[in-house]
């Protein structure tokens, strides 16, 4: 009896763990499909702040629930709205007098004579692609005259984009100055007294910018922060939030009603039709919490900012019906398809969609964004706009009388980007419409028809993935995998190449915006090797095509295919020969193991052979090269990079053996074993192995060793793993193990790889628990950063990148190494 009770208690505990999943994140995924269609909540409470794109720019979704006439806000927060007083160049061209020679006298005052200054238009910059006035010197002084006749200003705000140090004057009085630079416009509220300095008639905004290093930029304007719309909206009380692999689930309490809101992005890798469909569900489940019946309506306002790069872009919107759905659609009027490339950008081509069942209980309409909430409160469900800036696509779901039995309704949010990527000169449609026959309306209709079955599949996958991760590495590890899953996938786009090959192209988010970076694919790989290795093939296919063409003249692998979303060839300024060649060989070997055959290696054997030859000459004792940790700078004789080359050569030998090339396999196997022996001598530093050969007082994480273990190559003695793990356990800080002895920052993906070298759960847990602490306690509230400071948990750089797919390395090892 006692044994039965213990088993029952253990079962109950396990069930509770499986259902709990992750409850804390640095930011919470709401809608996650690709690098452009990606919306997050940046705080623990869904109604505490506006929802945002992963870059941090507002992409507002606002949710209200009306219970018996009382209105509560459960999602988002009404953003601030601004009225333009004098436009910056992103809204309208403006001209000014300028000089690049320091002026004498009171150059900031209204009466100053600037007639001998040059005349130019903003922006003033050294970027020839966007400059209206080319500015390449160290300093610029600008005088912008403007007439003003309306002094009814609520709150004066300076709209400023500067690179670098800036001083700003209004009618001779300094109103702002700072050192440093911005990469976009910054809205700077000014002191109340400053707005009184604006005069009826002529005024002057005078600006000095000092370009201290790098690029140069100046653009500015003045805006008025509009008074907030007065309302009696209450805040719903958030009771909980749970994150699982494909969903984020919030629970709220209002007077008389409990509300469950579930965001589902069904990224199921075993079904590429559903996986690639650019449609997420927002589900609302309501029930009475007091035993009485209540009249309930739920309201969703989706901002057209989801379909623009900057809020000042004009959009058009319309309402229509299709296949039993009521549909709202919005997109920019300009539609600059694939015209912008780079990192900190949102999509401004294609169209966003909000769809719901076309019934008397559903109402949809379009308003200016700042009128959306008022329209719901006043029951004026009428479209009042079809073109303009910052429109709102509004949906009202009438639940009617709700009692103690739950009532559920849902809304779909989708995005059709028309074309996703330019691939070697050819614009490619996304995977779901690559055959030219599919439409977004069909996808929305299928998503509606599949709603119940898709949610069941998501629930099943959420539980199985969590159970596997829990068994592999414990609860903290399983929670980290949950936080990584959607983020990693949504940093890619799924396409079909002109040759018919699968492409799964990443964007190097919050870094340099490269597309299909090999050393971003490398850390991402474990997630895809577990759930669909064909997606990893899709990360390698483009690199193989490029490197096997005449466009790539080198005997080592390329770094990238361009700058997202333009994949016409490498744009990164420097090669990483050992890094990328080693990555490509190792990942090909991993695909071979995952798929149980060597077909993929056979297809690219000539190229793999060329790279293996390069590594055999240049990889064992590397020269002064960059590795994937390029932010740390060049490093000669990098011991961890040497490990990568040795493991890659062992992996090449293993593939040769599987292809029946016995002599090649034997030669490279013997070479790799000899190189591993040499490595031990070169890197030996007493109780650990060094960062660089010949420097015994240095150390580094040898995360590349993990493939020796996971691929079963047996090149390095297990004692090396043990020696390194023992050393690392004494080098940890509060938020993790530093990357190496040079700095206290770290890469969390590499820690998870390093921890997988541990031969017991205790040591693994000791290494990953500080990463869990970082993920749940970091003060930097953005989609999970993989580069953070181990002393205070703050992000150093990078966010929302695919590399967190590397968190699945321990689970991959569990599945592959018995």
């Amino acid at each position: 009896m006692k044994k039965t009770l213990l088993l029952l208690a253990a079962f109950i505990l396990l069930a509770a763990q499986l259902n709990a999943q992750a409850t804390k994140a640095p930011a919470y995924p709401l809608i996650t499909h690709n690098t452009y269609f990606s919306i997050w909540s940046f705080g623990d409470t869904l109604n505490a702040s506006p929802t945002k794109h992963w870059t941090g720019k507002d992409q507002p979704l606002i949710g209200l629930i009306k219970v018996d006439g009382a209105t509560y806000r459960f999602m988002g927060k009404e953003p601030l709205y601004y009225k333009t007083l004098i436009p910056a160049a992103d809204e309208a061209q403006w001209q000014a007098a300028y000089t690049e020679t320091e002026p004498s006298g009171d150059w900031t005052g209204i009466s100053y004579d600037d007639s001998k200054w040059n005349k130019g238009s903003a922006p003033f910059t050294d970027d020839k692609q966007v400059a209206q006035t080319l500015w390449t010197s160290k300093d610029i002084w600008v005088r912008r005259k403007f007439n003003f006749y309306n002094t009814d200003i609520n709150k004066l705000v300076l709209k400023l984009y500067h690179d670098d140090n800036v001083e700003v004057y209004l009618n001779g009085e300094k109103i702002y100055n700072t050192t440093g630079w911005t990469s976009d416009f910054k809205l700077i509220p000014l002191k109340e007294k400053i707005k009184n300095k604006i005069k009826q008639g002529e005024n002057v905004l005078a600006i000095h910018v000092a370009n201290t290093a790098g690029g140069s930029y100046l653009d500015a304007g003045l805006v008025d922060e509009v008074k907030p719309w007065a309302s009696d909206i209450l805040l719903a009380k958030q009771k909980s939030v749970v994150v699982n692999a494909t969903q984020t689930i919030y629970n709220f309490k209002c007077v008389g009603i409990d509300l469950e809101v579930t965001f589902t992005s069904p990224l199921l890798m075993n079904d590429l039709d559903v996986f690639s469909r650019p449609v997420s569900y927002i589900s609302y489940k309501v029930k009475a919490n007091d035993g009485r019946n209540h009249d309930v309506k739920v309201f969703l306002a989706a901002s057209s900012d989801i379909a623009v790069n900057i809020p000042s872009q004009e959009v058009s919107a319309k309402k229509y019906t299709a296949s039993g759905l009521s549909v709202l659609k919005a997109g920019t009027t300009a539609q600059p398809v694939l015209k912008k490339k780079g990192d900190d950008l949102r999509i401004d081509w294609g169209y966003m969609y909000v769809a719901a069942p076309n019934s008397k209980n559903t109402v949809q309409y379009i308003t200016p964004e700042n009128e959306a909430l008022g329209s719901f409160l006043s029951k004026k469900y009428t479209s009042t706009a079809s073109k303009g800036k910052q429109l709102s696509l509004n949906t009202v779901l009438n639940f009617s009388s709700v009692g103690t039995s739950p009532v559920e309704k849902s809304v779909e949010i989708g995005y059709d980007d028309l074309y996703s990527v330019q691939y070697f000169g050819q614009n490619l449609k996304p995977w779901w419409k690559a055959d030219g026959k599919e439409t977004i309306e069909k996808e929305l209709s299928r998503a509606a028809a599949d709603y119940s079955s898709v949610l069941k599949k998501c629930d099943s996958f959420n539980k199985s993935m969590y159970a596997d991760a829990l068994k592999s590495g414990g609860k903290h590890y399983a929670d980290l995998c949950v936080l990584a899953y959607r983020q990693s996938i949504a940093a890619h786009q799924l396409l079909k190449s002109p040759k018919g090959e699968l492409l799964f192209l990443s964007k190097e988010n919050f870094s340099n915006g490269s597309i299909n970076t090999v050393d971003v694919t490398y850390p991402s790989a474990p997630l895809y090797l577990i759930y669909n290795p064909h997606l990893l093939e899709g990360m390698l296919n483009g690199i193989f095509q490029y490197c096997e063409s005449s466009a790539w003249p080198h005997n080592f692998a390329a770094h990238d295919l361009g700058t997202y979303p333009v994949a016409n060839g490498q744009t990164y300024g420097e090669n990483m020969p050992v890094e990328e060649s080693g990555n490509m060989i190792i990942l090909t070997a991993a695909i071979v193991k995952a798929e149980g055959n060597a077909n993929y290696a056979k297809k690219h054997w000539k190229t793999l052979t060329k790279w293996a030859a390069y590594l055999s000459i240049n990889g064992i004792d590397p020269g002064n090269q960059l590795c994937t940790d390029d932010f740390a700078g060049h490093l000669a004789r990098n011991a961890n990079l040497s490990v990568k080359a040795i493991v890659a050569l062992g992996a090449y030998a293993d593939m040769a053996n599987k292809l029946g090339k016995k002599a090649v396999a034997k030669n490279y196997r013997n070479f790799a074993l000899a190189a591993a022996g040499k490595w031990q001598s070169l890197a030996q530093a007493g109780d650990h192995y060094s960062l660089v050969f010949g420097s015994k007082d240095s150390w580094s994480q040898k995360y590349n060793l993990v493939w020796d273990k996971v691929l079963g190559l047996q090149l390095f003695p297990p004692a090396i793993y043990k020696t390194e793990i023992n050393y690392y356990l004494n080098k940890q800080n509060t938020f993790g193990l530093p990357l190496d002895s040079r700095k206290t920052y770290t890469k969390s993906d590499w820690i998870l790889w390093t921890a997988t070298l541990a031969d017991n759960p205790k040591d693994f847990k000791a290494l990953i628990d500080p990463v869990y602490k970082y993920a749940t306690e970091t003060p930097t509230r953005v989609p999970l950063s993989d580069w953070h400071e181990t002393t205070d948990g703050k992000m150093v750089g990078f966010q929302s990148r695919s590399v967190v797919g590397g968190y699945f390395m321990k689970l991959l090892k569990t599945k592959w190494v018995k």
Side-chain angles (χ1 to χ4, degrees):
M1 180 67 177
K2 184 176 180 181
K3 184 177 181 181
T4 301
L5 290 174
L6 288 172
L7 289 172
L8 179 62
F11 176 78
I12 292 171
L13 177 61
L14 177 61
Q17 287 179 323
L18 290 177
N19 289 326
Q21 306 238 4
T23 57
K24 186 73 186 296
Y28 297 81
L30 306 180
I31 293 171
T32 45
H33 287 276
N34 55 56
T35 185
Y36 289 130
F37 189 30
S38 181
I39 305 174
W40 298 68
S41 175
F42 277 38
D44 295 323
T45 306
L46 184 60
N47 57 11
S49 61
T51 57
K52 299 176 182 292
H53 186 258
W54 64 260
T55 56
K57 298 297 191 297
D58 287 352
Q59 291 196 338
L61 297 173
I62 298 179
L64 305 178
I65 182 169
K66 189 177 288 186
V67 182
D68 300 328
T71 304
Y72 302 82
R73 189 180 80 244
F74 61 84
M75 175 169 59
K77 184 178 182 181
E78 192 174 15
L80 296 173
Y81 298 106
Y82 301 92
K83 178 175 66 178
T84 299
L85 301 177
I86 61 169
D90 65 327
E91 293 186 76
Q93 188 177 84
W94 59 271
Q95 292 187 322
Y98 75 95
T99 180
E100 296 173 74
T101 303
E102 184 172 3
S104 58
D106 184 16
W107 66 276
T108 67
I110 293 179
S111 60
Y112 183 83
D113 181 8
D114 58 21
S115 59
K116 295 183 180 180
W117 287 25
N118 300 313
K119 301 296 185 291
S121 299
F124 300 84
T125 174
D126 65 342
D127 185 346
K128 295 180 181 179
Q129 292 186 341
V130 299
Q132 290 298 309
T133 301
L134 192 63
W135 165 40
T136 59
S137 64
K138 181 180 178 182
D139 291 88
I140 194 168
W141 290 261
V142 173
R143 285 173 49 84
R144 179 182 184 182
K145 295 177 182 177
F146 64 95
N147 291 319
F148 197 76
Y149 299 102
N150 179 11
T151 56
D152 183 19
I153 300 172
N154 174 52
K155 184 180 291 186
L156 187 62
V157 176
L158 174 65
K159 180 178 178 180
L160 183 62
Y161 186 166
H162 65 94
D163 186 359
D164 295 291
N165 306 342
V166 66
E167 301 171 292
V168 184
Y169 300 82
L170 177 61
N171 295 334
E173 182 172 333
K174 184 182 288 188
I175 60 173
Y176 181 73
N177 69 281
T178 190
T179 57
W181 52 276
T182 65
S183 57
D184 202 345
F185 285 104
K186 184 178 180 182
L187 295 174
I188 305 154
L190 300 174
K191 294 179 180 178
E192 181 71 16
K193 66 179 182 179
I194 292 176
K195 73 180 183 182
N196 297 324
K197 298 296 180 182
I198 297 183
K199 304 177 184 297
Q200 293 285 329
E202 187 176 81
N203 297 265
V204 65
L205 193 67
I207 306 172
H208 168 224
V209 181
N211 177 27
T212 58
S216 59
Y217 205 99
L218 170 60
D219 192 4
L222 292 172
V223 298
D224 182 15
E225 183 183 307
V226 178
K227 289 181 181 179
W229 186 75
S231 69
D232 296 322
I233 298 176
L234 305 169
L235 283 180
K237 182 179 180 181
Q238 183 175 308
K239 297 191 297 181
S240 66
V241 57
V242 172
V243 181
N244 56 46
T246 64
Q247 297 173 310
T248 302
I249 305 167
Y250 293 88
N251 279 280
F252 298 92
K253 184 174 184 178
C254 306
V255 174
I257 285 289
D258 287 338
L259 167 67
E260 181 181 276
V261 183
T262 301
F263 298 87
T264 304
S265 294
L267 303 180
L268 301 169
M269 283 188 257
N270 64 347
D271 186 342
L272 292 186
D273 289 337
V274 173
F275 179 82
S276 65
R277 181 186 295 157
V279 179
S280 277
Y281 305 105
I282 306 178
S283 309
Y284 310 96
K285 187 183 292 185
V286 296
K287 67 176 181 177
N289 57 29
D290 59 1
R292 300 166 54 195
N293 281 19
H294 300 276
D295 183 64
V296 176
K297 292 181 176 65
V298 169
F299 173 74
L300 170 68
S303 171
S304 63
D305 282 0
I306 294 168
V308 303
N309 179 44
I310 53 176
S312 59
Q313 289 179 281
E314 184 183 66
V315 298
S316 61
K318 70 175 184 178
K319 174 188 172 184
Y320 62 102
T321 59
S323 303
L325 296 175
S326 176
V327 181
L328 298 173
K329 171 185 179 181
T332 60
T333 56
Q335 287 298 305
V337 178
L338 296 172
K339 296 300 183 184
K340 294 181 176 68
K341 62 180 180 178
D343 183 27
D344 190 8
L345 295 172
R346 276 63 50 200
I347 194 169
D348 58 1
W349 68 89
Y351 297 91
M352 62 175 288
Y353 295 81
V354 181
N358 186 27
S359 72
K360 65 179 181 179
N361 289 324
T362 301
V363 181
Q364 290 193 307
Y365 60 103
I366 303 160
T367 65
E369 197 176 297
N370 59 358
E371 296 177 9
L373 304 191
S375 71
F376 177 64
L377 291 178
S378 61
K379 301 179 183 178
K380 294 179 179 178
Y381 309 152
T382 304
S383 292
T384 57
S386 61
K387 186 178 288 187
K389 300 171 184 176
Q390 294 186 294
L391 302 185
S392 183
L393 309 188
N394 306 313
T395 303
V396 180
L397 301 177
N398 186 358
F399 286 73
S400 301
S401 181
V402 176
T404 54
S405 297
V407 181
E408 183 175 344
K409 293 181 182 290
S410 64
V411 173
E412 299 172 353
I413 296 188
Y415 205 100
D416 180 3
D417 58 6
L418 306 180
Y419 290 92
S420 300
V421 161
Q422 185 175 102
Y423 184 75
F424 297 109
Q426 184 170 338
N427 292 353
L428 300 185
K429 295 178 180 180
W431 175 274
W432 63 269
K433 64 188 299 186
D435 63 2
K437 299 176 182 178
E438 300 302 330
T439 66
I440 189 65
E441 286 81 8
K442 289 180 181 179
E443 292 299 294
L444 291 167
S445 178
R446 290 191 186 106
D450 295 347
Y451 175 76
S452 295
S453 63
V454 167
L455 261 64
K456 285 180 181 177
K457 291 177 182 177
C458 287
D459 183 61
S460 176
F461 176 74
N462 296 338
K463 289 177 179 176
S464 65
M465 192 210 86
Y466 196 80
D468 286 348
L470 188 69
K471 184 178 179 181
S472 175
K475 185 176 187 331
H476 286 177
Y477 176 67
D479 285 359
L480 287 170
C481 288
V482 162
L483 298 184
Y485 185 83
R486 268 177 287 169
Q487 174 174 312
S488 181
I489 293 170
H492 297 84
Q493 178 65 293
L494 184 65
L495 309 112
K496 187 176 289 186
S497 79
K499 295 180 179 179
E501 290 185 322
L502 187 152
L503 298 174
F504 194 49
L505 303 182
S506 65
K507 180 177 182 181
E508 196 165 343
N509 287 344
F510 222 77
S511 177
N512 67 348
S514 287
I515 186 169
N516 205 191
T517 304
V518 175
D519 59 285
V520 167
T521 294
Y522 178 67
S524 305
L527 171 61
Y528 306 97
L529 287 165
I530 294 171
Y531 296 110
N532 190 339
H534 293 301
L535 290 173
L536 183 55
E537 286 186 26
M539 299 182 213
L540 305 192
N541 285 337
I543 298 294
F544 273 121
Q545 178 178 331
Y546 182 42
C547 293
E548 290 167 356
S549 74
S550 59
W552 183 253
H554 305 292
N555 61 344
F556 50 79
H559 171 271
D560 62 78
L561 291 185
T563 302
Y564 202 95
V566 178
N568 291 337
Q570 179 171 313
T571 52
Y572 192 72
E574 186 171 354
N575 294 313
M576 299 183 187
V578 172
E579 174 70 39
E580 310 304 15
S581 300
N583 291 342
M584 290 294 291
I585 293 173
I586 290 169
L587 295 179
T588 302
I591 290 170
V592 166
K593 185 174 179 67
E595 294 179 350
N597 64 73
N599 293 342
Y600 193 70
K602 183 178 181 181
K603 183 178 180 181
H604 300 290
W605 191 248
K606 182 178 179 181
T607 304
L608 293 168
T609 299
K610 179 170 61 177
W611 293 339
Y614 176 86
L615 291 179
S616 68
I617 297 170
N618 301 284
I620 310 309
D621 192 349
N624 192 31
Q625 294 191 7
L626 289 176
C627 71
T628 184
D629 305 317
D630 53 356
F631 51 83
H634 293 75
L635 192 65
R637 313 199 75 193
N638 183 335
N640 189 46
L641 187 60
S642 174
V643 168
K644 178 170 292 182
I646 295 167
V647 170
L649 293 172
Y652 175 80
D654 187 61
M655 289 187 287
N657 186 58
K658 288 181 169 69
L659 287 169
K661 301 177 185 295
K662 302 300 182 181
V664 173
K666 182 179 180 180
N667 287 339
Y668 269 92
R669 172 73 181 172
N670 288 339
F671 184 89
L673 283 169
K678 181 181 179 182
W679 183 92
Q680 294 173 61
S681 176
L682 290 171
Q684 176 57 245
D687 59 353
H688 70 283
Y689 294 88
S690 59
L691 164 66
V692 294
F693 297 147
S695 178
K696 293 183 181 295
D697 60 348
S698 67
W699 65 272
S700 65
Q701 291 187 46
K702 307 301 187 302
Y703 53 81
N704 288 318
L705 274 171
V706 75
W707 289 108
D708 186 42
K709 188 174 188 178
V710 170
L711 292 175
L713 301 175
Q714 298 182 337
L715 299 171
F716 293 87
I720 292 179
Y721 309 160
K722 184 66 175 176
T723 296
E724 286 290 276
I725 291 294
N726 288 341
Y727 189 80
Y728 299 149
L729 290 171
N730 294 313
K731 290 295 181 179
Q732 293 199 103
N733 291 322
T734 304
F735 294 97
L737 175 68
L739 181 64
D740 57 48
S741 52
R742 289 174 290 179
K743 301 281 186 179
T744 55
Y745 58 55
T746 196
K747 292 281 273 80
S748 56
D749 47 344
W750 298 146
I751 292 180
L752 269 291
W753 286 29
T754 296
T756 303
L757 295 172
D759 60 7
N760 64 82
K762 180 182 176 182
D763 288 348
F764 176 80
K765 186 175 186 299
L767 287 165
I768 68 112
D769 277 357
V771 179
Y772 175 82
K773 182 178 178 67
Y774 155 69
T776 55
E777 297 181 20
T778 176
T780 310
R781 305 309 299 272
V782 299
L784 193 60
S785 169
D786 53 286
W787 182 18
H788 73 270
E789 177 54 63
T790 62
T791 56
D792 59 16
K794 292 181 180 178
M795 178 181 83
V796 178
F798 309 153
Q799 66 193 47
S800 199
R801 299 208 307 162
S802 69
V803 301
V804 294
Y807 287 11
F808 285 78
M809 182 59 88
K810 178 64 160 65
L811 182 54
L812 181 67
K813 180 260 178 184
T814 299
K815 289 181 177 291
W816 280 9
V817 182
K818 304 301 182 184

